[in-house]
Amino acid sequence: MPERRTVALVTLGCARNEVDSEELAGRLAADGWKLVEDASDADVAVVNTCGFVEAAKKDSVDALLEANDLKDHGRTQAVVAVGCMAERYGKELAEALPEADGVLGFDDYADISDRLQTILSGGVHASHTPRDRRKLLPLSPVERQAATGVALPGHGDAPEAPAPIVDLPDGLAPGSGPRAPLRRRLGSSPVASVKLASGCDRRCTFCAIPSFRGSFISRRPSDVLGETRWLAEQGVKEVMLVSENNTSYGKDLGDIRLLETLLPELAAVDGIERIRVSYLQPAEMRPGLIDVLTSTPKVAPYFDLSFQHSAPAVLRSMRRFGDTERFLELLETIRSKAPQAGVRSNFIVGFPGESESDFAELERFLTHARLDAIGVFGYSDEDGTEAAGYEHKLDEDVIAERLAHLSRLAEELTSQRAEERLGELLEVLVESVDGEDGAVGRAAHQAPETDGQIVFTDREGLVPGRMVVAKAVGTEGVDLLAEYCEDVRVAAGRTPGEEAGR
């Protein structure tokens, strides 16, 4: 019997890419490939690239070159680029990086097994020609669900594709709807992401994502629910809903408030302890969504709000909406309903035309916003964006100075915010327990990768995947030190009188 072909997936970038990699893993496993963790043990190393900003592109190129080095002293015979950078640049990337044996776009995902076999056999699969993916779907959102033949990573095959394979290997998501993907988990974390939608209809002048991810299209609630149930069966305790813009979910399904209906259903899935929603647009927040996010059991009162700036002139240049006062009012509304709610955001400094007073206005907002986590980026031109053609660009040294200043301020403010949480009782999902790092987890206000974490003062009685109540007793920057109190289920069973007597 011939030895099974082996493949390793190396994932860079955001949680959406992680979902895409697990879809690719599912397709490959269903077609008989053996998945391995280490690229040096694989016949083919597939690098799922990120193409968002320059730093991410550099990391992607470095990962491809590192994988290519394995061909000289390892089992690896071929290195293939997939993901956003591969989709965005296609042939250009292939010509600039001959070390990659293949550069595959999203349209190749459905046939990923055949593509890799061709490359592994010494054949050549022509790198795709990039195109503006916003033009592949109808302009009207309500007409998009009927579109056929459009590759949507993380959504499964288009309706015209063959039905999913029924007899699948163990550990593979079966897929139940017209766009339900095959999926194979690539790790054992008690946390997993589920793609709620793909693409974006916003036209922020600094962002190229819509051009290579396409227009916004929602996954059907039945597919999201089915995948969440499957993840729960795999031992997942927290599901994070991801997309380019979760606040738009349902607009192409005829109900912009669909997320408010879906969240309680997801929270009711047996085995799931927490649902977290990421990527929220401040301009699209609505009272009903805030209510559901702050009052639904097992739904984290967590707000990943994409503010980007707070000075009105800069926001208008970005084709965004709002200002300092409106944003602070939004935060006040959230905290009036859930005082412990977590809020994080990213900001761009040095945008073309940003004046000293604009920068001061951003500082003012951050000083009053009490955010749990803050990401700060210096502006740089992105290929194909409107802002790349703007006049009044700031000097690089000015951008660097403002970036350093605001980064220091952000570090100080988030540390202060962590100190405000001292004494709070937190529901914490234990993520890892080992001899070197002790026990580590995350509270409702902390998302994976981007935010801080909970470091337990004692690991006794803690195991990964357990949801516990812990008391914040110290800080280490944005991280909290916490004492384990009891399991959440025990706390939930306590009577109001017993709770008051604690």
Side-chain angles (χ1 to χ4, degrees):
M1 183 175 180
E3 187 176 3
R4 292 173 68 190
R5 302 159 295 178
T6 57
V7 59
L9 287 122
V10 180
T11 307
L12 294 93
C14 64
R16 300 184 295 274
N17 256 18
E18 293 172 6
V19 175
D20 293 349
S21 284
E22 293 197 347
E23 179 189 349
L24 292 175
R27 291 182 182 279
L28 290 167
D31 204 40
W33 290 74
K34 179 181 178 181
L35 299 166
V36 296
E37 291 186 15
D38 195 330
S40 63
D41 296 329
D43 298 318
V44 186
V46 177
V47 180
N48 193 349
T49 61
C50 179
F52 182 38
V53 293
E54 283 304 318
K57 296 177 203 173
K58 182 180 183 304
D59 289 343
S60 296
V61 170
D62 289 345
L64 287 163
L65 294 174
E66 183 178 342
N68 182 69
D69 289 341
L70 297 174
K71 290 192 286 187
D72 295 329
H73 44 76
R75 172 172 177 160
T76 309
Q77 301 173 49
V79 176
V80 175
V82 298
C84 291
M85 190 176 180
E87 173 65 35
R88 184 177 182 183
Y89 295 104
K91 291 182 177 180
E92 182 182 343
L93 176 62
E95 292 170 359
L97 198 70
E99 291 84 355
D101 299 286
V103 176
L104 306 181
F106 297 151
D107 293 335
D108 292 306
Y109 282 21
D111 300 309
I112 186 67
S113 179
D114 289 342
R115 300 289 187 265
L116 296 190
Q117 186 58 58
T118 295
I119 294 168
L120 191 59
S121 301
V124 176
H125 178 70
S127 301
H128 80 109
T129 301
R131 49 184 175 167
D132 189 338
R133 296 191 73 86
R134 291 171 294 189
K135 299 178 180 178
L136 301 183
L137 291 168
L139 185 63
S140 171
V142 296
E143 297 177 1
R144 293 173 187 166
Q145 290 288 330
T148 60
V150 179
L152 298 170
H155 288 232
D157 295 326
E160 67 179 8
I165 300 169
V166 177
D167 186 16
L168 297 174
D170 291 339
L172 204 62
S176 58
R179 288 190 185 273
L182 301 174
R183 182 172 178 176
R184 165 81 77 171
R185 294 211 70 202
L186 293 175
S188 57
S189 169
V191 183
S193 296
V194 170
K195 190 169 284 190
L196 194 62
S198 286
C200 185
D201 287 341
R202 302 185 72 87
R203 294 295 178 261
C204 302
T205 58
F206 56 84
C207 183
I209 290 176
S211 66
F212 56 85
R213 277 289 184 178
S215 297
F216 184 89
I217 186 165
S218 305
R219 291 183 68 196
R220 292 191 174 277
S222 58
D223 288 343
V224 178
L225 272 166
E227 192 167 338
T228 298
R229 293 189 184 104
W230 175 78
L231 287 168
E233 293 170 359
Q234 303 299 306
V236 168
K237 299 301 180 183
E238 177 179 325
V239 163
M240 184 166 72
L241 301 178
V242 299
S243 75
E244 280 73 21
N245 177 10
N246 280 335
T247 34
S248 282
Y249 180 70
K251 72 176 187 179
D252 52 322
L253 294 171
D255 186 0
I256 192 61
R257 295 180 298 277
L258 195 55
L259 184 55
E260 288 94 306
T261 304
L262 178 60
L263 284 172
E265 295 185 59
L266 293 172
V269 171
D270 189 35
I272 295 297
E273 299 288 348
R274 179 187 288 157
I275 299 292
R276 184 184 303 277
V277 184
S278 62
Y279 306 111
L280 301 170
Q281 286 292 339
E284 297 182 33
M285 291 301 295
R286 47 196 179 270
L289 180 56
I290 295 174
D291 287 342
V292 170
L293 288 171
T294 55
S295 65
T296 307
K298 295 189 179 181
V299 173
Y302 176 80
F303 294 80
D304 177 10
L305 293 164
S306 178
F307 288 121
Q308 302 299 345
H309 213 283
S310 73
V314 176
L315 287 167
R316 302 305 176 267
S317 293
M318 291 178 168
R319 292 197 189 280
R320 298 179 66 84
F321 305 95
D323 55 46
T324 296
E325 300 309 325
R326 292 183 190 179
F327 291 162
L328 290 177
E329 288 174 5
L330 173 59
L331 295 177
E332 183 179 356
T333 298
I334 291 169
R335 288 172 176 143
S336 69
K337 297 176 181 294
Q340 292 184 325
V343 186
R344 80 165 324 275
S345 192
N346 293 327
F347 299 89
I348 298 173
V349 299
F351 194 78
E354 181 190 64
S355 66
E356 291 185 7
S357 61
D358 292 331
F359 185 66
E361 183 68 3
L362 177 55
E363 284 188 89
R364 184 173 79 88
F365 171 67
L366 289 177
T367 302
H368 290 86
R370 298 170 55 232
L371 303 180
D372 291 279
I374 300 171
V376 184
F377 302 88
Y379 173 81
S380 62
D381 288 339
E382 277 296 310
D383 298 336
T385 62
E386 185 177 344
Y390 279 1
E391 299 178 349
H392 309 298
K393 301 281 179 64
L394 276 63
D395 291 339
E396 290 187 8
D397 57 346
V398 173
I399 296 176
E401 181 182 344
R402 292 183 181 180
L403 175 61
H405 176 81
L406 206 68
S407 296
R408 289 192 297 269
L409 177 63
E411 184 176 352
E412 177 184 342
L413 292 172
T414 51
S415 295
Q416 290 175 3
R417 178 63 182 134
E419 291 173 359
E420 291 178 14
R421 291 191 178 275
L422 291 177
E424 283 188 11
L425 290 178
L426 307 166
E427 291 191 358
V428 182
L429 177 63
V430 182
E431 293 195 352
S432 64
V433 180
D434 59 49
E436 185 173 330
D437 298 325
V440 175
R442 285 178 305 98
H445 70 279
Q446 299 167 319
E449 307 295 336
T450 58
D451 305 337
Q453 61 184 7
I454 300 296
V455 180
F456 288 93
T457 56
D458 188 350
R459 58 181 286 179
E460 186 176 353
L462 299 174
V463 295
R466 178 175 293 175
M467 187 74 80
V468 303
V469 176
K471 183 177 181 179
V473 297
T475 65
E476 291 181 351
V478 296
D479 296 340
L480 291 175
L481 304 179
E483 294 177 347
Y484 163 55
C485 298
E486 59 191 342
D487 283 4
V488 165
R489 293 183 184 277
V490 173
R494 188 181 291 106
T495 66
E498 291 172 323
E499 185 65 32
R502 293 185 68 191

